[in-house]
Amino acid sequence: MAVEAPSKHVYDYDDEDDDGPVVFKRSNTSSSKQNQLNSEVKKASSQRSDGQSGRQASSVRAPNGQNSVAQANKSIPPSKSPPIRSPILSPKSSNSSAKASPVRSPVVISKASTSLNDQSKQASKQNKFTSVKEEKSPIKRTDETNSDDDDDDDDSKPLSARLKGISSQGNKGVSTSTPAQSQRFVPKIEVKGSAEDPDDDAPLSARFSMKSNTGTLSSKPYGSHEKKPLASKIQQNGSIMKDKQQKSSMLSDKRPLDKGNSSDQSYAKKLKISDTPTMMKTKQVTVKAEKDEEDDHIPISQRIKKSVSSVSKTASLKQKATKVVSSSFKKINKKSKKDMKKSKYSKSTKLSPSSGDGQKKWSTLVHNGVIFPPPYNPHGVKMLYDGRPVDLTPEQEEVATMFAVMQETDYMSKPQFKKNFWEDWSKLLGRNHVIKSLDKCDFTPIYEWHLQEKEKKKQMSSEEKKALKEEKLKQEEKYMWAIVDGVKEKVGNFRVEPPGLFRGRGEHPKMGKLKRRIRPCDITINIGKDAPIPECPIPGERWKDIKHDNTVTWLAFWNDPINPKEFKYVFLAASSSLKGQSDKEKYEKARLLKDYIKNIRAAYTKDFTAKDVTKRQIAVATYLIDKLALRAGNEKDDDEADTVGCCTLKVGNFDFLGKDSIQYVNTVEVELPVYKAIGQFQTGKSKSDDLFDELDTSKLNAHLKELMPGLTAKVFRTYNASITLDDMLNKETKDGDVAEKVVIYQRANKEVAIICNHQRSISKSHSAQMSRLTEKITELKGVLKELKTDLDRAKKGKPPLKDADGKQKRNLTPEAIEKKMAQTNVKIEKMERDMQTKEDLKTVALGTSKINYLDPRITVAWCKRHEVPIEKIFNKSLLAKFAWAMDVDPDFRF
DNA sequence: GGTCAGACTTGCTGGTACACAG
DNA sequence: CTGTGTACCAGCAAGTCTGACC
């Protein structure tokens, strides 16, 4: 079968994580297409390159140990970018290239078509059966005339790139798009010329032009990297602390790993090997490319077949070698899970993409449980009711205080918050209490007491503060660590959440409700069978339950008092090997998508016009997830904030509240078929109806899994974020000092944040800061003017005028004055750039993408290649979290 | 096929320690 | 030395996704 080939590639790749002797060619775009099509060779090759680079690497510092002497400058790069959230694709933005039709935005229509075409071409080249992964697309268009080879490139390109401006999000403050714009997709009508729009080749992202400014994206050249090795090898995880491990890992990096992953073995216990590869292996999918219409009613999934074969071998090999239980075991029911515990190394033949269900996560686990907040200490300050002081019991006072301290927050203006608070508090007060209504309550005395306490704390001497801190540390020390399979690992959240008022985001229906105090009898502890059960810290009380489940990673959990159906877990810290391993798997999965993306795009593009509605909805939804980095959008209960994701978009949406009630406003141009399809989905529905009424996340993800093993909606976010970073860094890094390079990085980071709609609220002092800067600039300009006058006078041999205070200024030579002027100009420019940057970033949160979406190996490798100390990019906790990525080869590409 | 429990990841915020400019 | 600004981190809310169960 034709299929095989592809699969093979895949597998080989993985396996190989280690070796790959192929030649790497990263650069040519031109070649790219071909390469892609044919082979995964690329991957292999890339790996190879890794090896090489390893050598180079030597020059680079070892990640962990670096010292950064350097100084970095904090200077911020100037950015010219326009406000971030400009509407991206609105027609106006489009302009640029196409003058011809105003309508056509830089983006896309054409693009779509193009890509489609390309793909189809490719497809045609190939034959009918193809694995998705392979390049063959199921779709075939005969009409296509030319194919761009570049297309390939596109696929690998980041979305963002494709969007030239994704300007997506309106931020809270900044959305630029007009309501009208945001309301619907603007179809592009443009006649698309031939496929040749240059853009076509460009990745989607390129197609949207980003307004943001960074200006950097050029659309094209992407190609080069296309062929990075997919899998990099599975390296060990680098766990942070073990030297041995480290060493080995380093070694491994330096040269291509061998299949056996020998290096991995050593870690095996702690780390699971990344299964990603494994996972993928599980199912190989093939697409049957019948081009005809008939396909239309065949679900894509069906069109795709899986070929499983080769994989398992590899997988098992690996597993054995590592002795790690692969995460891939799937579908093991609970009982069997438990059984599995006993046989650590047993493996199921079923590999699953999911990360590890049923899989053993640890063999021995020792920890000390959790620490509780101190009991409430009454302050005795009386609040007023109807102007009179009221006596409250400590319990009543505690809750009143929770409310009082929130006086200055926005919650106080939310009726729902007050209503919920009152419901819970009045229960505590009892029916006969003097306090009958919240309206007559005056919490000011308590609030003032609170402010005083805060002030006192602030006024403490540094010694006192230090002493307190040490005291706290001493109490908490024992809870901070767990021993997992013999290795000391940090625990993430060992402190039980204190009681308080629930602070739901957005218009959460439960905001203001009392989050009661959690007691030991609410808590279930999970610990190794042979480990001592943690002593309950509250005398006379006991844990709710003790479990010894090594198929999960939590150390303890309790039910959320606000929503008892939900759980609050205590996990290991992000720096732990367990977390690191799954992090790595996540990125490996995203990297794998790179190999499938082209065909996935071709498939959904084809389905835009499918007869079957469900299929069409899946296609459009996938498109939106891919292009706009939307989240999947699970159904939500009525008692949650009203937010949506892709599958739950409403007919009237395109300005909606996403996770955390963050607004998403984006106007994009979409391909005509998408526009039409959306129009159809909207027909006959009201604004509040689901746009994708045939869809939910399970269906969508089930479908995605048929396209690529383990593929789910969120993988697109990771993929698009990481590929964008990789692409931008590689395209835009130029010679320069460290500070300049850091600026490049920040720009790329910002681009990703915009794509993912990562926002932050504008700091309270933002406007003050801006006006201060403006003032300073004005002042400097005044100085400049004065200098100019002095200069003119000096040239004529006259002394300078007196200064503002009437004092005589020093007599300077014209040269000296000119020098001063130049310095002042530099200062002004820098300030203006700083202002611009500050303005641009005022609503953009860079941290989230760094923590969750950007493969750290991209960053580490880039730092190594460009001699940028990694500490300039990653802070201490990120360094710990990404320890597993530190020994990546400098040539690593996503 | 749908629902739900369960487990884990993602995301924003606020407090604060610390760096820096004046 | 001091007031500001910011980076960092903890906290916890809010997502995603899987598998069991009906």
Side-chain angles (χ1 to χ4, degrees):
Chain A
M1 304 215 92
V3 177
E4 291 260 281
S7 18
K8 239 173 192 185
H9 284 307
V10 178
Y11 301 127
D12 289 347
Y13 187 33
D14 287 350
D15 262 359
E16 132 351 2
D17 286 359
D18 338 8
D19 35 345
V22 180
V23 181
F24 178 32
K25 47 188 21 183
R26 165 173 300 181
S27 40
N28 315 321
T29 342
S30 57
S31 56
S32 56
K33 203 176 197 168
Q34 278 220 325
N35 296 337
Q36 269 198 341
L37 293 185
N38 307 332
S39 56
E40 320 265 1
V41 175
K42 308 170 167 191
K43 301 171 176 186
S45 53
S46 49
Q47 287 221 339
R48 201 260 215 9
S49 59
D50 285 354
Q52 296 181 345
S53 47
R55 290 166 217 150
Q56 298 179 349
S58 51
S59 54
V60 182
R61 59 200 49 317
N64 295 336
Q66 334 192 312
N67 331 335
S68 53
V69 180
Q71 202 22 232
N73 356 342
K74 303 203 154 190
S75 62
I76 301 178
S79 76
K80 297 177 163 195
S81 0
I84 305 184
R85 285 105 199 276
S86 53
I88 298 203
L89 305 179
S90 54
K92 19 150 101 156
S93 55
S94 52
N95 59 6
S96 41
S97 40
K99 311 343 268 325
S101 67
V103 182
R104 185 220 204 76
S105 66
V107 179
V108 188
I109 292 195
S110 44
K111 174 189 219 87
S113 46
T114 339
S115 58
L116 198 58
N117 296 336
D118 291 4
Q119 306 210 349
S120 41
K121 293 175 176 185
Q122 295 188 357
S124 52
K125 292 180 185 176
Q126 312 231 9
N127 23 2
K128 313 192 162 188
F129 291 84
T130 39
S131 78
V132 174
K133 177 176 188 181
E134 287 259 40
E135 324 284 9
K136 321 177 170 187
S137 80
I139 305 178
K140 166 176 207 161
R141 290 221 174 153
T142 49
D143 32 61
E144 252 347 51
T145 43
N146 6 328
S147 52
D148 302 300
D149 292 359
D150 296 88
D151 240 13
D152 281 341
D153 290 1
D154 283 2
D155 289 343
S156 41
K157 298 168 186 180
L159 231 210
S160 47
R162 311 183 237 144
L163 308 193
K164 253 168 183 188
I166 285 193
S167 53
S168 30
Q169 4 285 4
N171 309 341
K172 305 172 171 179
V174 193
S175 93
T176 49
S177 50
T178 63
Q181 290 174 325
S182 50
Q183 238 26 326
R184 354 181 96 215
F185 289 102
V186 181
K188 272 26 256 296
I189 309 181
E190 178 144 333
V191 174
K192 188 349 138 317
S194 38
E196 345 307 306
D197 198 6
D199 282 354
D200 289 353
D201 294 349
L204 280 191
S205 37
R207 309 185 211 156
F208 292 72
S209 45
M210 222 122 190
K211 289 279 143 128
S212 51
N213 51 350
T214 6
T216 31
L217 308 179
S218 55
S219 30
K220 259 227 142 191
Y222 211 140
S224 32
H225 28 351
E226 352 203 282
K227 315 288 145 134
K228 293 133 187 188
L230 174 359
S232 52
K233 12 304 294 357
I234 306 188
Q235 3 196 119
Q236 57 294 3
N237 73 0
S239 77
I240 326 188
M241 347 205 142
K242 297 95 200 227
D243 292 335
K244 281 189 179 177
Q245 294 187 354
Q246 267 272 75
K247 281 182 190 171
S248 55
S249 59
M250 295 184 80
L251 289 178
S252 52
D253 277 354
K254 300 223 160 138
R255 58 209 160 94
L257 307 185
D258 23 314
K259 320 189 156 194
N261 293 333
S262 50
S263 57
D264 289 347
Q265 298 190 353
S266 46
Y267 311 113
K269 278 197 157 186
K270 313 170 141 211
L271 315 181
K272 330 154 140 177
I273 289 201
S274 81
D275 320 295
T276 313
T278 322
M279 317 172 22
M280 330 233 136
K281 303 174 175 187
T282 344
K283 313 180 170 189
Q284 172 95 357
V285 185
T286 13
V287 176
K288 194 181 199 172
E290 328 232 72
K291 36 155 164 220
D292 4 319
E293 272 286 349
E294 304 230 345
D295 283 8
D296 287 356
H297 29 304
I298 303 175
I300 290 187
S301 44
Q302 299 198 359
R303 297 185 234 155
I304 302 184
K305 298 178 175 185
K306 313 176 173 187
S307 73
V308 186
S309 53
S310 47
V311 179
S312 40
K313 260 193 201 167
T314 326
S316 54
L317 239 165
K318 234 178 210 177
Q319 292 180 345
K320 280 188 183 175
T322 55
K323 296 189 172 183
V324 177
V325 177
S326 115
S327 54
S328 34
F329 298 115
K330 182 180 207 174
K331 314 203 162 168
I332 300 174
N333 61 31
K334 279 207 167 170
K335 290 178 185 178
S336 50
K337 285 184 190 175
K338 312 258 151 148
D339 293 346
M340 281 186 59
K341 295 179 183 177
K342 297 200 171 171
S343 57
K344 306 175 158 191
Y345 305 129
S346 63
K347 324 238 135 156
S348 125
T349 49
K350 214 164 186 177
L351 301 178
S352 109
S354 64
S355 68
D357 267 314
Q359 163 185 358
K360 178 159 103 175
K361 303 281 177 36
W362 46 265
S363 295
T364 64
L365 173 62
V366 181
H367 63 86
N368 291 308
V370 294
I371 187 168
F372 291 85
Y376 180 65
N377 185 13
H379 48 67
V381 175
K382 294 188 187 342
M383 57 173 289
L384 308 177
Y385 184 73
D386 216 3
R388 269 168 255 152
V390 195
D391 284 328
L392 296 175
T393 64
E395 294 73 31
Q396 295 163 350
E397 179 194 287
E398 179 181 18
V399 179
T401 304
M402 293 170 186
F403 187 79
V405 302
M406 294 180 74
Q407 292 305 298
E408 310 255 297
T409 69
D410 290 344
Y411 287 109
M412 284 301 147
S413 58
K414 302 195 174 185
Q416 185 73 42
F417 184 88
K418 292 187 187 173
K419 175 173 171 275
N420 287 333
F421 164 73
W422 172 246
E423 273 177 24
D424 287 353
W425 189 46
S426 58
K427 276 182 216 156
L428 261 184
L429 295 174
R431 254 188 225 162
N432 301 321
H433 202 279
V434 147
I435 298 179
K436 303 284 186 205
S437 146
L438 188 58
D439 293 338
K440 294 183 182 170
C441 291
D442 180 357
F443 295 88
T444 311
I446 299 180
Y447 182 56
E448 283 175 350
W449 164 83
H450 162 73
L451 292 180
Q452 278 170 23
E453 290 297 300
K454 231 166 124 181
E455 187 58 27
K456 272 189 208 163
K457 217 171 155 189
K458 214 168 158 187
Q459 298 304 328
M460 284 192 302
S461 68
S462 51
E463 283 76 32
E464 288 171 310
K465 284 182 186 167
K466 203 172 160 190
L468 270 181
K469 204 173 161 187
E470 273 172 15
E471 172 67 15
K472 192 182 175 208
L473 193 68
K474 205 171 156 190
Q475 286 177 3
E476 297 184 338
E477 173 72 23
K478 67 184 269 206
Y479 301 101
M480 293 171 62
W481 305 93
I483 300 178
V484 185
D485 294 345
V487 179
K488 190 172 173 186
E489 303 269 22
K490 241 184 171 166
V491 178
N493 53 327
F494 51 86
R495 298 179 194 91
V496 170
E497 292 177 18
L501 301 184
F502 177 67
R503 303 184 180 205
R505 316 245 167 92
E507 296 306 313
H508 198 294
K510 294 193 172 179
M511 65 171 80
K513 283 181 69 65
L514 173 61
K515 202 170 76 164
R516 70 171 177 81
R517 184 174 291 268
I518 301 300
R519 320 204 62 91
C521 60
D522 296 313
I523 297 182
T524 299
I525 299 281
N526 189 34
I527 197 162
K529 269 187 183 146
D530 301 326
I533 308 245
E535 185 186 333
C536 179
I538 301 183
E541 301 199 27
R542 47 185 296 196
W543 305 115
K544 177 178 183 181
D545 196 7
I546 302 291
K547 299 206 169 195
H548 310 288
D549 185 355
N550 69 356
T551 66
V552 296
T553 64
W554 53 266
L555 309 184
F557 84 87
W558 64 90
N559 289 89
D560 179 5
I562 294 297
N563 190 345
K565 284 192 296 194
E566 296 184 348
F567 314 87
K568 296 283 197 175
Y569 292 95
V570 174
F571 289 118
L572 292 175
S575 57
S576 64
S577 319
L578 222 45
K579 293 277 191 193
Q581 183 60 30
S582 72
D583 218 25
K584 183 174 175 183
E585 286 165 16
K586 172 182 76 182
Y587 292 114
E588 282 303 306
K589 191 189 281 182
R591 288 180 83 204
L592 188 66
L593 176 54
K594 192 172 153 225
D595 297 324
Y596 289 80
I597 193 71
K598 179 184 192 107
N599 289 333
I600 288 173
R601 286 175 181 158
Y604 69 59
T605 300
K606 183 184 182 195
D607 286 345
F608 288 157
T609 51
K611 289 176 187 159
D612 180 72
V613 183
T614 307
K615 193 192 273 189
R616 225 181 315 138
Q617 291 196 354
I618 286 178
V620 173
T622 309
Y623 170 85
L624 295 178
I625 284 169
D626 182 21
K627 302 244 138 143
L628 306 181
L630 298 190
R631 295 187 187 85
N634 282 315
E635 291 295 331
K636 302 189 74 180
D637 288 346
D638 292 342
D639 59 359
E640 295 178 274
D642 195 12
T643 61
V644 304
C646 186
C647 292
T648 43
L649 281 172
K650 306 299 176 216
V651 168
N653 280 151
F654 266 71
D655 172 353
F656 58 86
L657 298 185
K659 182 175 178 180
D660 294 306
S661 296
I662 295 296
Q663 185 185 22
Y664 184 99
V665 182
N666 191 5
T667 302
V668 295
E669 292 187 3
V670 297
E671 294 155 47
L672 192 54
V674 172
Y675 181 75
K676 285 183 175 167
I678 290 176
Q680 291 162 359
F681 304 153
Q682 290 174 323
T683 310
K685 296 178 188 168
S686 72
K687 275 195 158 187
S688 57
D689 287 341
D690 286 332
L691 180 65
F692 298 116
D693 55 307
E694 297 282 313
L695 220 52
D696 62 31
T697 54
S698 318
K699 283 182 191 163
L700 181 64
N701 282 335
H703 170 259
L704 293 177
K705 275 197 180 67
E706 295 184 339
L707 301 177
M708 186 192 103
L711 183 61
T712 62
K714 77 181 188 130
V715 179
F716 284 91
R717 271 168 83 79
T718 310
Y719 164 77
N720 280 309
S722 287
I723 197 95
T724 298
L725 176 75
D726 189 79
D727 182 51
M728 283 189 69
L729 287 183
N730 285 284
K731 264 196 308 215
E732 308 194 3
T733 308
K734 307 192 174 79
D735 288 342
D737 60 23
V738 169
E740 287 165 331
K741 289 173 184 166
V742 169
V743 167
I744 300 288
Y745 188 92
Q746 287 172 338
R747 259 191 226 157
N749 190 172
K750 172 186 156 192
E751 226 43 53
V752 172
I754 291 170
I755 290 171
C756 295
N757 198 27
H758 290 148
Q759 300 191 23
R760 60 174 180 165
S761 51
I762 299 177
S763 107
K764 288 172 199 151
S765 56
H766 178 79
S767 62
Q769 289 171 26
M770 293 300 275
S771 36
R772 223 174 325 229
L773 280 173
T774 309
E775 247 170 55
K776 279 186 186 165
I777 290 173
T778 312
E779 195 182 309
L780 285 175
K781 284 186 174 167
V783 171
L784 204 58
K785 203 172 167 188
E786 220 173 276
L787 285 170
K788 178 79 172 64
T789 310
D790 292 349
L791 179 63
D792 292 344
R793 295 176 62 90
K795 282 180 178 166
K796 294 176 192 163
K798 300 180 184 169
L801 295 175
K802 295 183 177 171
D803 67 16
D805 300 333
K807 287 186 189 166
Q808 183 62 52
K809 287 187 282 192
R810 255 190 354 159
N811 215 347
L812 297 173
T813 64
E815 292 71 32
I817 297 175
E818 277 171 350
K819 194 176 165 194
K820 266 193 157 181
M821 288 176 70
Q823 287 169 341
T824 310
N825 268 318
V826 168
K827 255 191 185 171
I828 292 175
E829 279 166 25
K830 179 176 181 298
M831 281 189 155
E832 286 175 340
R833 284 195 309 258
D834 287 353
M835 264 184 84
Q836 184 65 52
T837 304
K838 197 184 275 276
E839 183 64 29
D840 287 349
L841 294 178
K842 71 179 176 190
T843 58
V844 182
L846 300 184
T848 305
S849 51
K850 225 187 218 179
I851 296 172
N852 300 301
Y853 289 105
L854 301 176
D855 187 333
R857 291 170 297 186
I858 297 169
T859 303
V860 174
W862 175 83
C863 282
K864 288 179 179 179
R865 287 198 299 274
H866 299 284
E867 302 189 354
V868 174
I870 189 70
E871 301 82 3
K872 298 283 175 212
I873 310 289
F874 289 158
N875 62 36
K876 214 173 84 191
S877 45
L878 287 179
L879 285 173
K881 172 175 168 137
F882 298 139
W884 58 271
M886 293 302 162
D887 46 10
V888 68
D889 189 279
D891 277 351
F892 175 91
R893 296 294 304 273
F894 183 72

